[in-house]
Amino acid sequence: MRAIELNGFGGPEVLVWGKATDPSPGHGEVLIDVVAAGVNRADLLQRQGKYPPPAGASEVPGLECSGVIAELGAGVRDWRVGDRVCALLSGGGYAERVAVPATQLLPVPDDMDLGAAAGLPEVAATVWSNLVTTAGLHAGQTVLIHGGGGGIGTHAIQVAKQRGAHVAVTAGSAEKLERCRELGAEVLINYRDEDFVEVVRGHTNGRGANVILDNMGASYLSRNVAALAPHGHLVIIGMQGGVKGELNVGALLGKWGSVHATNVRNRPATGTGSKAEIIADVRAKLWPLVEDGSVVPVIHAEVDIAEAGRAHELLDSSQVVGKVVLRVREE
């Protein structure tokens, strides 16, 4: 099969549309003919040599894809050849075919384009497992979402609104903030010229946000704690602002606050806190909202797989609102 190869580590130019060994489904797995693959910041880090795949995972980038089931492995009972699916992966999505545990599949609604569906599994798993499972976001609470215009952010806004929460977001342009407003955000903060701590406090009578979903890491750590409400949850899912920061434990203790740092890719396939557990929860509780159109994929651009480097450049720019996906083949 054809797949994206890494010709060393470095810039987008190291992504080459080459060849790879055809996968075959093991016990409990299915083989997918890939139609499209989502592009995530983890892919950019892998390309740079900063985020290697977990042991046993494919060296081909790509943490999510959509397509059609081509073959069933032994023991698979709940899926059929020809089913339209999207999948959460540990790697391998930038390819014509990928094998994935059946427990990491989600059905694609009949009226949804498979290209758009490729941008859902990673954000759905990340947002649901962090906002809901970890932080327990519920109606009436205030959530602050950093990077509101990104793939995670645009999905998180919709999920939070469906949970009945009040949504504040940060973004770096008026255009991104307007799109966040259209998706349901109520408090719009341009981080370039506003202090999100002051704005969030001002909109919550000084209490702060009950939940903060943070993609920045170190550079926002102290300010996030300052913006946190009593008994609040700060959930760190990214390191765009660095990996080492100073935590004022006294400030955190004074708020009875919690700091969580999580990712999805390195979770086990099965068991407590696993990918299978997350996907089962997503399918049962979030997927009905996807199927009825209450939560929609937000796709900024679709790029041909042979131009994966251009897709990485686009995601690394400040222009993207939502997800970038790679088209592998037509439906």
Side-chain angles (χ1 to χ4, degrees):
M1 69 172 184
R2 303 204 70 185
I4 289 293
E5 299 175 302
L6 291 177
N7 184 21
F9 297 119
E13 70 279 357
V14 306
L15 299 172
V16 179
W17 185 227
K19 293 184 178 180
T21 303
D22 276 279
S24 58
H27 189 278
E29 294 184 333
V30 305
L31 185 68
I32 298 174
D33 282 333
V34 177
V35 168
V39 180
N40 292 280
R41 290 201 173 273
D43 304 337
L44 277 62
L45 293 173
Q46 181 177 338
R47 187 201 75 218
Q48 296 163 3
K50 298 177 181 178
Y51 194 17
S58 171
E59 294 290 332
V60 173
L63 302 184
E64 59 186 344
C65 73
S66 63
V68 177
I69 295 178
E71 185 179 342
L72 304 178
V76 177
R77 299 285 181 265
D78 298 331
W79 299 95
R80 298 289 181 267
V81 171
D83 284 348
R84 300 168 78 244
V85 296
C86 55
L88 180 68
L89 311 172
S90 296
Y94 291 15
E96 291 179 323
R97 286 188 157 191
V98 65
V100 58
T103 52
Q104 292 170 212
L105 298 179
L106 292 162
V108 175
D110 291 340
D111 59 351
M112 183 178 291
D113 175 72
L114 281 172
L120 277 175
E122 179 71 15
V123 295
T126 299
V127 168
W128 191 263
S129 64
N130 286 291
L131 281 190
V132 181
T133 306
T134 298
L137 182 68
H138 58 264
Q141 291 190 318
T142 295
V143 58
L144 170 60
I145 300 166
H146 290 301
I152 296 291
T154 52
H155 188 80
I157 292 168
Q158 298 177 77
V159 171
K161 291 302 294 182
Q162 291 299 316
R163 300 287 292 176
H166 303 289
V167 181
V169 298
T170 63
S173 71
E175 293 76 16
K176 287 186 176 183
L177 289 172
E178 174 59 21
R179 185 67 179 110
C180 292
R181 185 194 63 78
E182 293 170 354
L183 291 169
E186 303 162 54
V187 181
L188 310 174
I189 306 165
N190 189 323
Y191 65 78
R192 299 186 188 278
D193 51 34
E194 295 180 280
D195 181 347
F196 67 80
V197 178
E198 292 183 1
V199 176
V200 169
R201 283 178 171 171
H203 281 271
T204 57
N205 294 318
R207 287 181 58 81
N210 304 101
V211 177
I212 299 176
L213 187 64
D214 176 51
N215 62 347
M216 294 300 291
S219 65
Y220 274 16
L221 182 57
S222 62
R223 294 166 67 204
N224 278 332
V225 172
L228 204 61
H231 304 286
H233 296 269
L234 166 60
V235 188
I236 301 171
I237 59 170
M239 303 174 292
Q240 294 181 45
V243 299
K244 293 183 180 181
E246 184 172 301
L247 175 63
N248 185 332
V249 177
L252 189 65
L253 283 171
K255 295 187 174 187
W256 306 279
S258 301
V259 178
H260 314 265
T262 75
N263 68 28
V264 173
R265 187 181 196 182
N266 290 316
R267 291 174 182 261
T270 59
T272 302
S274 64
K275 296 183 181 77
E277 186 177 79
I278 291 172
I279 291 299
D281 207 30
V282 165
R283 185 170 182 182
K285 299 172 185 175
L286 172 59
W287 218 241
L289 299 174
V290 173
E291 292 171 332
D292 71 14
S294 299
V295 173
V296 299
V298 179
I299 306 301
H300 180 90
E302 187 177 285
V303 178
D304 187 89
I305 185 70
E307 299 182 78
R310 183 166 68 85
H312 276 218
E313 289 176 344
L314 183 59
L315 184 61
D316 212 21
S317 74
S318 60
Q319 306 306 312
V320 173
V321 176
K323 295 295 293 279
V324 175
V325 298
L326 296 168
R327 175 68 70 160
V328 178
R329 59 163 61 86
E330 296 303 315
E331 294 188 42

